[in-house]
Amino acid sequence: MIPGLMQDVPLLTTAILTHAETAHGRVEIVSRTVEGRIHRYDYAGLAARTRRLARALRDLGVKSGDRVASLAWNTHRHLELFYAVPGLGAVLNTVNPRLFDDQIVYVLEHAESTVLFYDRTFQPLVERLAHRFTTVKTFVLLSDADSHDPCAVGALNYETLIGAQSDAAFPWPSFDENAGAFLCYTSGTTGDPKGVLYSHRAVVIHAIAAGLASAFGLTAFDVVMPCSSLYHATAWGLPFICPINGCKLVLPAEKMDPASLQELIIGEGVTFSGGVPTIWTMYLDWLAQNGQDVGQLKRVIIGGSAVPRAMAETFKVKHGVQVLQIWGMTETCPLGVVATPTPSIAALGEDQVDDIIWTRQGRLQFGIELKIVAEDGTEAPRDGETSGALMVRGPWTIKRYFRKEEDALLDADGWFDTGDIATLDEHGFMRITDRAKDVIKTGGEWISSIDLENIAVACPGVKIAAVVGIPHPKWEERPLLVIETHEGRTVTRDEVLDYLRPRIVKWWMPDEVVFAAVPLTATGKIDKKTLRAAWSGHLI
Ligand code: ADP
């Protein structure tokens, strides 16, 4: 080979910030604060405050490679940490505050974070656990200077800290684009949380790709409100995708309840949002109850768990909003596939397009390869029928977990097993049928818990439907359906079964329907482990 003769500029996250400041400097960033105010500035303002923060971090002794942790909501201050920490070559460990105490301690200790930035909301949590954080030397409270109260951990105040610094030009260091930038832990529903260390290179190319028309299709005309958490796989990369494309950014802090979201959707002219299905279930209910519309909202990306068809339909038919289902995971930065139309499916007619888009997780995107491996280890045909283990590969897919260097994660050809069971079809659309550990194995056949839930949730009065396989003396496992109803609604077991009967094959019929609150995990998904444990003896 002969070397190419183009500039060797590393792909670093600071390049995104610098671009946003120069190309879209006056584009607004609106953030709720934890104090309940609305904070407004623009990309130039973000860049200026990030420079102050970078200087403050240096004064605190943060060096290249160090880990700095955050326990924070979707706010402008958290966004500043997103740029300042990796910009110095250090790593931002975004801790999920919904984990259990022991898991939070595990994450901070495992990451060996030296500084912890936290929102006021987490003051009790930090005071309760601080004595167990052996590596944290400095605590910083993300709050207004005038609302800083003395606390047991002697935290510094964020505004005072950065207020003492200059926002003059800052010599952002240049370094290898493969350096670690963000350390995100999986929610650890099985075993300890595992650390996924995103490199600058992965973050930047993931953000370029996710903005493409085949994926999120964002432009400078969009007003984007991320309702997935900044601490969960960097809010699907939106903090990078938006500044690249010059989108106005609206940050809702922790206020994901429908009325608070609506205030920003209408008030700020939000055109594009994204979050897990639970948020949108509540939002659509609230719209119906209050007879409100969605303002300028045009598109919503939904992922994290399967999008109920009824949700996509209500968004489209009642509100003219296009739902784009996405699939991804912490291990893929997180974007894998996005359900956008193609000419080949458009030719099948609008009903078909809706059907495909609403019932598939998405289609192949450049930068992440997918394949399905059948039980016998061979690659499954792309026929939309044959299901198997979903494997992925590409420049923003994990290679190894952080500080688990001894565990080989990939197969000989570099594929990562996602733990999901899926099909791929001739149009390049992927459909998740289950998580490998949630699939219901009954009499040698498999039942997709996701498919059953999707149908059951459309039954009138049902808010959440969860299906788990529980031990059965004859069939190994049989499905049990747990229903949480909408507030004030009563639904009977027979109504649910009558609803299901014409819509599913007979052997898929749940052996039991129970009515209970459905527990959710730290990332807002149905907590099947807890459900299985709670109901395991029910059919014996
Ligand atoms: P955690 O496992 O920590 O909750 P992740 O975001 O990493 O968080 O979870 C990734 C998993 O979520 C995927 O492997 C898949 O099982 C599930 N998932 C994500 N998006 C979808 C979707 N659109 N439909 C069905 N399952 C999904």
Side-chain angles (χ1 to χ4, degrees):
M1 73 112 172
I2 62 165
L5 294 175
M6 309 312 277
Q7 297 181 13
D8 190 11
V9 179
L11 299 170
L12 302 178
T13 53
T14 35
I16 298 178
L17 183 66
T18 309
H19 166 75
E21 183 177 23
T22 43
H24 316 292
R26 294 273 81 89
V27 174
E28 240 191 330
I29 302 172
V30 181
S31 173
R32 261 189 215 289
T33 67
V34 172
E35 291 85 5
R37 283 186 303 112
I38 296 278
H39 176 272
R40 286 176 194 279
Y41 62 169
D42 52 24
Y43 283 114
L46 167 68
R49 279 172 55 94
T50 301
R51 292 193 287 270
R52 290 176 185 272
L53 176 56
R55 291 190 165 93
L57 286 165
R58 274 203 176 157
D59 284 0
L60 290 176
V62 172
K63 300 178 307 298
S64 167
D66 286 356
R67 269 80 69 200
V68 170
S70 63
L71 266 169
W73 302 114
N74 290 11
T75 69
H76 66 291
R77 292 182 180 121
H78 203 182
L79 185 65
E80 290 156 12
L81 285 163
F82 262 54
Y83 282 99
V85 174
L88 293 174
V91 172
L92 185 66
N93 171 210
T94 52
V95 184
N96 180 345
R98 297 196 204 274
L99 295 176
F100 301 121
D101 280 7
D102 283 351
Q103 292 177 319
I104 292 178
V105 173
Y106 175 88
V107 167
L108 275 154
E109 290 290 292
H110 188 261
E112 298 181 330
S113 289
T114 54
V115 184
L116 171 61
F117 288 81
Y118 66 96
D119 274 333
R120 170 174 300 281
T121 333
F122 305 118
Q123 181 104 304
L125 182 154
V126 170
E127 288 181 345
R128 185 170 72 241
L129 300 179
H131 69 284
R132 298 172 64 190
F133 300 157
T134 62
T135 60
V136 177
K137 301 283 172 287
T138 312
F139 293 87
V140 183
L141 178 64
L142 296 162
S143 96
D144 294 347
D146 56 11
S147 65
H148 189 78
D149 38 47
C151 62
V153 295
L156 305 172
N157 173 274
Y158 182 80
E159 292 299 331
T160 312
L161 190 73
I162 71 166
Q165 299 288 348
S166 153
D167 66 2
F170 184 79
W172 291 110
S174 180
F175 44 83
D176 184 345
E177 65 187 21
N178 289 300
F182 290 86
L183 181 54
C184 304
Y185 282 74
T186 60
S187 63
T189 34
T190 49
D192 285 327
K194 295 188 288 275
V196 185
L197 182 54
Y198 300 170
S199 63
H200 282 260
R201 173 184 154 83
V203 169
V204 172
I205 52 180
H206 170 272
I208 297 171
L212 294 176
S214 63
F216 297 174
L218 288 171
T219 76
F221 293 92
D222 279 303
V223 179
V224 178
M225 179 165 73
C227 296
S228 51
S229 304
L230 288 183
Y231 57 72
H232 189 203
T234 71
W236 303 349
L238 288 168
F240 311 107
I241 306 165
C242 292
I244 287 177
N245 294 290
C247 314
K248 172 175 167 182
L249 194 54
V250 180
L251 297 168
E254 81 282 25
K255 293 233 176 298
M256 307 283 186
D257 63 282
S260 302
L261 292 184
Q262 181 72 347
E263 206 178 300
L264 293 177
I265 288 172
I266 301 297
E268 301 303 328
V270 171
T271 63
F272 185 104
S273 190
V276 294
T278 340
I279 290 175
W280 306 113
T281 304
M282 294 189 295
Y283 180 65
L284 287 174
D285 272 2
W286 185 90
L287 287 179
Q289 277 159 20
N290 293 277
Q292 297 217 12
D293 65 38
V294 297
Q296 306 293 311
L297 191 63
K298 299 281 181 308
R299 288 177 303 150
V300 178
I301 45 171
I302 310 182
S305 21
V307 178
R309 195 196 154 101
M311 172 179 290
E313 205 164 341
T314 308
F315 258 125
K316 176 176 173 177
V317 176
K318 288 211 179 136
H319 303 290
V321 171
Q322 187 193 6
V323 166
L324 303 177
Q325 175 151 204
I326 62 172
W327 167 91
M329 59 198 314
T330 305
E331 286 85 342
T332 60
C333 265
L335 201 64
V337 297
V338 189
T340 45
T342 59
S344 67
I345 65 161
L348 303 172
E350 195 178 337
D351 287 353
Q352 278 289 325
V353 173
D354 286 346
D355 193 61
I356 291 176
I357 300 285
W358 292 344
T359 58
R360 314 285 194 276
Q361 268 59 30
R363 68 171 159 111
L364 285 165
Q365 301 288 322
F366 175 73
I368 182 153
E369 293 177 88
L370 310 185
K371 76 170 176 186
I372 308 289
V373 174
E375 267 190 302
D376 63 4
T378 59
E379 186 171 347
R382 302 192 167 207
D383 58 6
E385 295 281 326
T386 317
S387 65
L390 173 65
M391 315 281 286
V392 297
R393 186 167 72 175
W396 61 79
T397 296
I398 189 169
K399 182 162 65 183
R400 270 196 302 276
Y401 289 108
F402 183 55
R403 296 183 56 204
K404 296 263 182 218
E405 277 70 15
E406 66 287 0
D407 297 349
L409 199 56
L410 309 183
D411 73 8
D413 299 319
W415 292 91
F416 169 68
D417 185 343
T418 62
D420 286 324
I421 306 292
T423 63
L424 260 178
D425 69 18
E426 83 225 65
H427 303 289
F429 277 79
M430 185 271 278
R431 194 170 82 86
I432 300 273
T433 56
D434 235 320
R435 271 195 165 190
K437 57 183 189 300
D438 292 338
V439 76
I440 300 159
K441 298 188 177 116
T442 184
E445 298 285 348
W446 288 9
I447 298 177
S448 158
S449 67
I450 294 184
D451 285 351
L452 250 182
E453 285 162 2
N454 244 327
I455 296 166
V457 81
C459 173
V462 172
K463 184 171 162 198
I464 308 178
V467 176
V468 285
I470 57 170
H472 186 279
K474 178 162 176 207
W475 300 110
E476 188 184 351
E477 280 183 349
R478 286 297 301 158
L480 172 116
L481 172 60
V482 187
I483 298 278
E484 184 174 325
T485 55
H486 284 291
E487 230 171 290
R489 289 289 300 265
T490 39
V491 182
T492 66
R493 175 179 181 278
D494 286 345
E495 277 167 4
V496 175
L497 293 176
D498 288 345
Y499 181 84
L500 293 179
R501 205 161 285 118
R503 293 176 169 84
I504 59 176
V505 289
K506 213 165 137 210
W507 60 277
W508 278 40
M509 280 298 269
D511 280 36
E512 194 53 275
V513 182
V514 295
F515 294 86
V518 172
L520 300 179
T521 67
T523 47
K525 297 172 200 193
I526 295 170
D527 185 350
K528 299 215 171 163
K529 203 173 129 205
T530 301
L531 281 178
R532 272 192 293 265
W535 297 97
S536 67
H538 206 66
L539 298 180
I540 295 173

